[in-house]
Amino acid sequence: MSHPYRSQPPRAFWKKTVSHRHPMDVGDWYSPRILFEGKSIATAGSCFAQHIGRALRGSGFDYIDAEPAPKGLPPEAHMDFGYGMYSARYGNVYTSRQLLQLLRRAQGRFTPAETAWPHRGGVVDPLRPTIEAEPFASVAELEMLRRDHLARVLDMFERAEVFVFTLGLTEAWLSAADGTAFPLCPGTAGGTFDPARHRFRNLSAAEVRADMDAFLTELRALNPSVEVFLTVSPVPLMATATQAQVAVASSYSKSVLRAVAGELCDAHDFVDYFPSYEIITQPFMQGYFFEPDRREVSPHGVAHVMKTFFAAQGGAPMPAAPAPPEPELSEAERAERVKCDEELLAVFGEGEP
Amino acid sequence: MKILITGDSHTGALSQGLAQVRDGLPGGIDIVVKPLGGGHILPTPFFRDAGTYAQIVDPDYRRNFHRLPPHAINADMIALSAPLWPMRVMHQMVWPRHSIDAAIPGGQPISRAVFRRLVMEDQGQVLALCALLQRVGMPVLAVSPPVMFRDHATLRQMAPEHVRAMFDGYRAIMLEELAARHIPVLDVPPDCVDADGFMRPEYRHENPEDEHHANAAFGALMIRQLAALAPSLLARAH
């Protein structure tokens, strides 16, 4: 007797894919719809997206760094100043609302009413309050850096051929005045929480879908050939502002995000979904990929996710980082060194110990 | 009192200046100038903390010193020409068109905090050397090189106000760091700079292509000043 399941591949069946297999041997997680090879890639999202960006950068993909660190800043300090986290210094973009507003801000179509939050004697940008370890010295400095940042974000959106976005949260803190979605609750890393000005919103599936639809439409209007690669962060909420227990609230958040990612993938042939969320959180993984706090994903987990990704997309999973090349000297630096050597030689001749 | 001046290539002008004014130095003041070497090595780990002295490990610098304080020169104070020369960071900033305080066309501004970090990366080894010398009881003094001459190459790449903001910003950060460490500074005399804060051309190096070193006349001024202030500088360094 014929029925649709007869023509399904083995990966469609739990028994053939999961049962009696070691969790690490479970395969067929992902068949790429969009290919990364030879394309310029930009990343944004919640913290798990940082792992993806790092792996792509280290594996020979054409990764966009629209806001690079200055040459003399040592690599170990890049993260302290928000460099290299993502393709530009926007910090974590946790929600669909933040992402949509980021694009609109970069295009000059949305300007939040709250422009600077006082913090520890300086000011921070409400839309990236922890982008640097210390607050900016003045509003003028903050605004100058923000203008440059948003110009670079626009450039990134315009030239990305694949935009990778990791959906992280549904819980958002919004401005009551204009709906600005803050990445962090006002008062936690700058500013002052004011219930009259700030409101909590746990985005529904319909709201996330509407945000993402608007984002995709507006992004494709700017960059018609860009493809979008979605993942859902497997990292549970650190805290919830709802009345639910935190694990229950996490489950809501991730379920919404996962469902919307699936809908978007079904609705648009330029959208792909990569199941990093499932690889980490499936019950048969027994929490193996979480750190002892049962929240952070371990390096093993990240490596396993990226191995799965690279197996499908090509590229090498996290090769050993080559020794950093000697920074190139400009002609002027070279000339200056020569002048210094000449000066020392002319005045002191050959030195003796 | 014996003062050893050492450090980068700006010791050249100081050495030439010393030759001009040595005979007129106040009695009891003896000054020796001997460089470490090129300033581009200063941000690298050029020395090792050997407990009671700094063992110089960079091969270029070892041509001049094996250790600081040196055995051969029984100095009462070491004057370093090293902590106040911003050009290594300036090059990192100007050629890729980075700026502070204001954006420039085609450039990328960075925050004051990032800039401070660049300065501290540049001077971390020098400040560590100062700390070591202080710890072993050797008074340390910072001798300023000249400030910018008007024809410095960086000024052709970017508007002077942007270049100066970084140059002056670097010096301000380092002056603050030195003050916090109780390291006195022998700074450029006000008479050496014009109304806009650039070095007067009469102190420019005699080589027309060298727009960053000063000449013997500047060196002589600095040496005279050092000799005159030596007792009070030593007291402050203690």
Side-chain angles (χ1 to χ4, degrees):
Chain A
M1 200 158 87
S2 176
H3 56 76
Y5 289 99
R6 283 210 185 279
S7 57
Q8 282 290 77
R11 67 169 184 271
F13 297 92
W14 189 270
K15 202 169 174 180
K16 292 175 181 172
T17 305
V18 179
S19 299
H20 309 299
R21 276 181 196 264
H22 190 281
M24 295 293 281
D25 294 332
V26 172
D28 289 323
W29 287 102
Y30 167 65
S31 301
R33 172 186 280 183
I34 63 178
L35 295 173
F36 281 44
E37 186 65 36
K39 293 176 183 164
S40 299
I41 301 156
T43 62
S46 74
C47 15
F48 193 75
Q50 290 179 35
H51 298 304
I52 297 175
R54 256 196 301 277
L56 290 171
R57 250 198 318 268
S59 305
F61 285 99
D62 181 11
Y63 185 81
I64 295 175
D65 187 358
E67 206 167 356
K71 182 177 146 191
L73 195 66
E76 66 271 18
H78 287 189
M79 293 287 273
D80 294 346
F81 296 97
Y83 293 108
M85 285 172 82
Y86 300 107
S87 290
R89 290 204 311 160
Y90 23 69
N92 291 332
V93 179
Y94 294 108
T95 62
S96 54
R97 190 67 50 87
Q98 257 184 283
L99 178 67
L100 176 60
Q101 291 178 354
L102 177 66
L103 175 60
R104 289 176 176 174
R105 287 168 58 225
Q107 291 181 298
R109 295 188 295 117
F110 178 62
T111 306
E114 288 192 38
T115 55
W117 283 345
H119 189 52
R120 299 205 325 250
V123 286
V124 296
D125 186 337
L127 279 305
R128 46 176 191 160
T130 56
I131 200 65
E132 294 199 2
E134 297 296 322
F136 298 115
S138 65
V139 173
E141 182 183 35
L142 182 158
E143 289 181 344
M144 181 260 299
L145 292 167
R146 180 164 52 210
R147 277 192 298 276
D148 179 73
H149 162 65
L150 290 175
R152 288 169 189 280
V153 172
L154 182 61
D155 170 64
M156 176 203 78
F157 278 132
E158 284 172 338
R159 66 189 168 99
E161 292 173 286
V162 177
F163 179 67
V164 177
F165 183 62
T166 298
L167 294 142
L169 298 178
T170 53
E171 295 195 11
W173 288 95
L174 307 177
S175 160
D178 62 3
T180 299
F182 304 111
L184 296 173
C185 177
T188 57
T192 308
F193 180 71
D194 177 354
R197 290 190 295 125
H198 305 126
R199 60 188 170 87
F200 173 70
R201 179 86 197 148
N202 198 7
L203 299 172
S204 68
E207 286 172 311
V208 175
R209 177 70 196 265
D211 286 341
M212 291 305 294
D213 277 337
F215 172 76
L216 294 175
T217 302
E218 293 170 26
L219 179 64
R220 296 273 287 187
L222 179 72
N223 178 354
S225 60
V226 67
E227 296 172 298
V228 176
F229 183 86
L230 296 175
T231 64
V232 171
S233 169
V235 181
L237 273 66
M238 185 178 281
T240 179
T242 67
Q243 294 307 305
Q245 188 253 35
V246 65
V248 177
S250 278
S251 189
Y252 168 84
S253 214
K254 303 298 176 184
S255 303
V256 163
L257 297 175
R258 175 61 189 90
V260 172
E263 287 179 12
L264 293 167
C265 198
D266 288 345
H268 304 286
D269 60 5
F270 61 88
V271 175
D272 198 358
Y273 173 75
F274 178 72
S276 51
Y277 174 75
E278 286 82 353
I279 294 171
I280 299 294
T281 64
Q282 273 297 298
F284 60 79
M285 288 296 182
Q286 299 173 50
Y288 174 71
F289 289 134
F290 285 104
E291 294 283 15
D293 67 359
R294 295 173 186 167
R295 181 174 176 271
E296 295 294 333
V297 176
S298 71
H300 295 297
V302 174
H304 190 59
V305 165
M306 294 318 299
K307 188 176 151 195
T308 306
F309 171 84
F310 287 122
Q313 287 283 358
M318 312 281 263
E326 182 75 10
E328 280 184 29
L329 293 180
S330 69
E331 277 307 310
E333 280 174 287
R334 243 180 240 117
E336 195 151 293
R337 281 196 191 180
V338 170
K339 285 171 206 160
C340 292
D341 288 346
E342 284 174 353
E343 174 76 352
L344 289 165
L345 207 60
V347 178
F348 299 102
E350 285 298 306
E352 294 295 330
Chain B
M1 181 197 307
K2 191 163 195 167
I3 303 168
L4 167 63
I5 300 177
T6 189
D8 58 18
S9 59
H10 292 285
T11 52
L14 299 171
S15 179
Q16 290 174 315
L18 176 63
Q20 289 183 2
V21 302
R22 183 187 298 279
D23 292 343
L25 293 182
I29 301 286
D30 183 14
I31 298 175
V32 177
V33 183
K34 188 173 182 182
L36 270 166
H40 64 280
I41 295 168
L42 289 171
T44 68
F46 64 86
F47 73 95
R48 181 182 76 81
D49 187 337
T52 54
Y53 62 93
Q55 182 190 15
I56 305 300
V57 295
D58 177 80
D60 280 358
Y61 284 6
R62 277 180 71 83
R63 292 161 64 198
N64 290 315
F65 288 103
H66 282 178
R67 52 174 283 169
L68 284 175
H71 272 311
I73 304 168
N74 194 19
D76 297 298
M77 178 159 65
I78 291 181
L80 279 176
S81 170
L84 291 165
W85 183 239
M87 274 306 160
R88 289 179 298 275
V89 168
M90 296 296 294
H91 285 300
Q92 291 166 4
M93 295 288 290
V94 170
W95 307 101
R97 301 187 70 73
H98 290 303
S99 58
I100 54 172
D101 300 343
I104 57 169
Q108 181 187 0
I110 62 169
S111 70
R112 280 265 173 183
V114 174
F115 184 70
R116 173 177 277 275
R117 181 63 193 261
L118 295 179
V119 175
M120 297 312 289
E121 280 298 315
D122 190 53
Q123 289 289 350
Q125 295 293 323
V126 170
L127 290 173
L129 176 63
C130 291
L132 189 160
L133 293 173
Q134 287 178 315
R135 192 188 74 216
V136 302
M138 173 55 65
V140 186
L141 162 76
V143 182
S144 176
V147 293
M148 287 191 95
F149 288 96
R150 279 190 181 274
D151 60 340
H152 195 274
T154 51
L155 295 163
R156 294 193 290 276
Q157 298 300 316
M158 205 182 270
E161 63 269 27
H162 301 306
V163 177
R164 282 292 301 278
M166 295 184 275
F167 189 94
D168 296 346
Y170 183 112
R171 280 176 48 87
I173 289 167
M174 284 309 298
L175 288 170
E176 199 179 293
E177 292 292 329
L178 292 167
R181 291 166 170 77
H182 309 291
I183 298 171
V185 173
L186 186 69
D187 211 343
V188 176
D191 292 351
C192 293
V193 298
D194 64 21
D196 298 325
F198 290 102
M199 284 297 288
R200 291 191 180 281
E202 56 264 38
Y203 298 112
R204 195 183 181 288
H205 196 275
E206 50 276 11
N207 176 357
E209 290 182 5
D210 188 338
E211 81 293 36
H212 85 264
H213 292 107
N215 59 15
F218 174 76
L221 262 178
M222 295 295 282
I223 294 291
R224 270 195 224 102
Q225 191 181 223
L226 173 62
L229 298 174
S232 68
L233 290 168
L234 182 61
R236 282 165 53 202
H238 271 304

